[in-house]
Amino acid sequence: MKPLALKPYAMSAFQEARDYLSITFGLFLYSFGLTYFMLPYEITTGGVAGIGSIIYYATGFEVQNTYLIVNAILLIAAIKVLGWKFCFRTIYAVLVLTFFIWVMQRIAEGDNGVLPRVCNDQTFMACIIGACLEGTGLAICFLSNGSTGGTDIIAAIVNKYKNMSLGTIIMLCDVFIISSCYFVFHDWQRVVFGFATLIVSSVTLDFVVNKQRQSVQFMIFSRNYRKIADAINATGRGVTVLDGTGWYTRTERKVIVVLVKKRESINIFRMIKSIDPYAFVSMGNVQGVYGEGFDPIKASIKTNKGKKTIVFASNNQHKLKEIRAILGDKFDVRSLEDIGCHDDIPETSGTLEGNALQKAEYIKQFYGYDCFADDTGLECTALDGEPGVYSARYAGGNGHDSEANMQKLLNNLENKKDRTAQFRTVIALIYNGSTHYFEGTVKGTISTEKHGDGGFGYDPIFVPDGHDKTFAELGSDVKNTISHRALAVEKLVNYLNQR
């Protein structure tokens, strides 16, 4: 009997439950280190807990109370930047950590109301142990998409946009907090212990986080490469198959290259062995892996004179020139070739809207860019809308044979009195996760013969209303202000300018 597959929502609920359990365990370690190794030795730690510790040493106002009040203020500011999901987990962490610190103090104090020194007079040993526990607890919380609040919130916000490690950010935030304990004790030795705590906890935090995020690269040599590649693909990881030559045997071989998280490596080995136990496998650690499925690329780049970069899903040089002229200096419009796309993108829909969306979705899915794509059709009244969506391939073949398309259309309209028609362009835009459509239409008539050498497609036989010349005769300067594509692009630009 096959095991039942978990439904997506069940997997999501399981992941949520596992995250919350991990966060709870991390909070336990943090509160244990603070209560048993920091507070009894009057060592100031970082973050809001450090602020609470200083107030506790000076006034006796318990740490958890200060911790709860300050975090309530910080959370209000964090909701907009980090989102409700992060903040819900942070609220949970703040409440649980407040509870843990309160309970552990009650247990540790016992009947005499004094926190015990578990390391006797070994203050430095207490400092190291407590810092390691705090750093490990913070790392577990961050790896589970949680936070203990306070400076962790600031670290999470900065880390979202900048390529700075969490430990470094927290260290910078905490320098001021730890230094301020001198004004309570007037003892530089305590400040030194505080900085030692900060350094050890930060190093521990980065060590645990980087250990869990470490990635490895597999190079797999197997004659059964297809099954291995399919099996790895089924886990959600991308696979690249390279051509190679075994120089000893002088035979062609395929080489599978895979990048995965280190924790996933055992599953990759199991897949390989179950399919081809005689495969040759090389695995090596990599310094960093950035992109979809791994860590995000966080780097500031110089923009092209303030232009917004967007992909136009086309390699038609006529269209690109026209689009770029219409958009002017506001956008850096990149073609398919500019992004390295040489694929034959399908256009199998029966509508202009469908074809435009197919192209835009393809680029977004496989190349990741926000982009827009268009499809244009010439619709003749006497021919019930022909050639319409088939305008580029009206004469058959692979399409874009302008001479053949125009000649067929002129032949079909030869005995028709009604030669009215319209050019219609539909643009599909995928931007910031949402899809939008923009349409432009220009009405006119089909001439009896070709006129002009400019433009492309049906331009030499289309006379727009209000003019006595074809698009090909009017020239690009006039066409780019009145054309169907110009009207659609104008709507697109107006929308983008409001974002």
Side-chain angles (χ1 to χ4, degrees):
M1 179 181 293
K2 292 182 179 181
L4 293 175
L6 290 176
K7 294 181 179 179
Y9 68 82
M11 291 295 291
S12 177
F14 174 76
Q15 181 65 47
E16 283 286 308
R18 189 173 68 176
D19 284 349
Y20 275 96
L21 284 174
S22 297
I23 291 171
T24 304
F25 179 65
L27 297 173
F28 175 82
L29 289 180
Y30 185 91
S31 58
F32 186 80
L34 176 69
T35 305
Y36 285 89
F37 296 95
M38 296 297 175
L39 296 181
Y41 294 88
E42 296 183 335
I43 299 173
T44 302
T45 186
V48 177
I51 297 173
S53 299
I54 293 173
I55 295 175
Y56 171 72
Y57 301 145
T59 66
F61 190 70
E62 292 194 341
V63 176
Q64 66 271 15
N65 297 329
T66 303
Y67 177 80
L68 184 62
I69 294 169
V70 175
N71 273 295
I73 298 171
L74 288 174
L75 278 168
I76 295 173
I79 289 173
K80 183 177 181 180
V81 177
L82 300 176
W84 275 105
K85 186 174 182 179
F86 178 91
C87 289
F88 273 134
R89 294 187 178 194
T90 305
I91 292 170
Y92 169 81
V94 168
L95 295 176
V96 170
L97 187 57
T98 301
F99 174 75
F100 277 165
I101 294 174
W102 177 78
V103 169
M104 287 187 183
Q105 283 189 94
R106 300 289 84 78
I107 294 173
E109 288 173 351
D111 295 331
N112 59 10
V114 178
L115 293 173
R117 293 193 167 195
V118 295
C119 293
N120 297 322
D121 294 329
Q122 299 295 320
T123 304
F124 184 71
M125 182 62 67
C127 169
I128 298 299
I129 296 174
C132 288
L133 287 171
E134 288 185 353
T136 303
L138 285 174
I140 293 172
C141 287
F142 276 121
L143 287 170
S144 302
N145 298 314
S147 165
T148 57
T151 54
D152 300 352
I153 295 176
I154 300 173
I157 292 173
V158 175
N159 183 255
K160 181 178 179 179
Y161 300 106
K162 298 291 184 180
N163 191 22
M164 295 179 64
S165 70
L166 297 171
T168 300
I169 301 167
I170 291 173
M171 181 182 293
L172 294 174
C173 293
D174 291 345
V175 167
F176 175 77
I177 296 173
I178 293 174
S179 299
S180 63
C181 77
Y182 174 79
F183 299 102
V184 175
F185 300 109
H186 300 288
D187 183 357
W188 284 110
Q189 183 177 3
R190 296 185 187 276
V191 177
V192 172
F193 275 124
F195 280 120
T197 300
L198 174 60
I199 294 170
V200 173
S201 62
S202 297
V203 170
T204 303
L205 168 63
D206 282 343
F207 174 79
V208 176
V209 169
N210 292 334
K211 193 74 175 175
Q212 290 298 312
R213 288 181 174 175
Q214 186 175 358
S215 299
V216 294
Q217 180 186 66
F218 278 90
M219 297 188 72
I220 307 165
F221 304 79
S222 172
R223 297 188 184 279
N224 204 356
Y225 69 93
R226 293 182 183 275
K227 284 189 177 180
I228 295 175
D230 288 341
I232 297 173
N233 254 156
T235 68
R237 283 298 181 197
V239 176
T240 300
V241 179
L242 306 178
D243 292 322
T245 302
W247 205 243
Y248 180 77
T249 61
R250 299 299 199 274
T251 59
E252 293 184 355
R253 300 291 294 272
K254 296 293 185 181
V255 182
I256 301 172
V257 179
V258 184
L259 289 164
V260 299
K261 296 291 187 182
K262 190 171 185 178
R263 62 179 178 270
E264 301 173 68
S265 59
I266 187 63
N267 291 330
I268 301 296
F269 277 117
R270 288 170 179 167
M271 290 178 195
I272 297 169
K273 188 174 182 179
S274 65
I275 296 171
D276 182 4
Y278 301 102
F280 182 79
V281 182
S282 169
M283 184 187 80
N285 293 329
V286 291
Q287 187 67 28
V289 182
Y290 304 93
E292 188 172 353
F294 294 90
D295 294 330
I297 299 174
K298 299 167 185 172
S300 58
I301 60 173
K302 293 182 179 179
T303 59
N304 188 5
K305 295 181 180 179
K307 293 182 181 180
K308 299 177 182 178
T309 300
I310 194 165
V311 173
F312 177 30
S314 176
N315 273 329
N316 186 312
Q317 294 303 312
H318 295 290
K319 285 186 177 181
L320 283 163
K321 184 177 180 181
E322 192 173 295
I323 287 287
R324 285 167 175 160
I326 295 169
L327 291 178
D329 296 329
K330 296 180 180 178
F331 296 90
D332 175 19
V333 181
R334 300 187 182 182
S335 66
L336 295 179
E337 187 172 350
D338 291 335
I339 64 171
C341 176
H342 305 284
D343 307 343
D344 185 13
I345 303 176
E347 297 181 55
T348 57
S349 176
T351 65
L352 300 177
E353 291 84 357
N355 280 339
L357 183 60
Q358 271 188 314
K359 291 185 284 186
E361 286 181 333
Y362 187 92
I363 297 303
K364 184 63 179 177
Q365 179 180 355
F366 294 105
Y367 292 85
Y369 288 94
D370 281 346
C371 62
F372 65 92
D374 80 317
D375 199 21
T376 297
L378 176 61
E379 300 167 341
C380 298
T381 305
L383 300 179
D384 297 324
E386 287 187 11
V389 72
Y390 304 105
S391 295
R393 51 191 184 276
Y394 191 44
N398 294 326
H400 301 292
D401 187 343
S402 299
E403 291 296 326
N405 290 335
M406 282 191 290
Q407 192 56 54
K408 180 178 180 179
L409 182 60
L410 290 174
N411 291 340
N412 289 344
L413 288 173
E414 187 173 357
N415 298 319
K416 304 292 185 182
K417 292 182 179 180
D418 187 355
R419 302 183 71 88
T420 59
Q422 65 176 18
F423 260 128
R424 189 164 67 93
T425 290
V426 176
I427 294 177
L429 169 70
I430 297 179
Y431 190 77
N432 287 342
S434 60
T435 302
H436 306 273
Y437 294 95
F438 309 93
E439 183 176 319
T441 302
V442 59
K443 297 183 181 296
T445 56
I446 304 298
S447 62
T448 56
E449 56 185 28
K450 294 181 291 181
H451 298 282
D453 298 323
F456 62 97
Y458 296 91
D459 286 357
I461 62 173
F462 183 80
V463 181
D465 286 351
H467 296 269
D468 56 3
K469 295 181 179 180
T470 66
F471 269 155
E473 294 176 294
L474 289 173
S476 59
D477 289 342
V478 176
K479 181 188 174 185
N480 288 346
T481 60
I482 66 171
S483 74
H484 43 292
R485 190 169 291 107
L487 297 174
V489 171
E490 183 180 1
K491 295 176 182 178
L492 167 71
V493 174
N494 288 338
Y495 173 81
L496 290 175
N497 283 337
Q498 296 173 6
R499 299 305 98 191

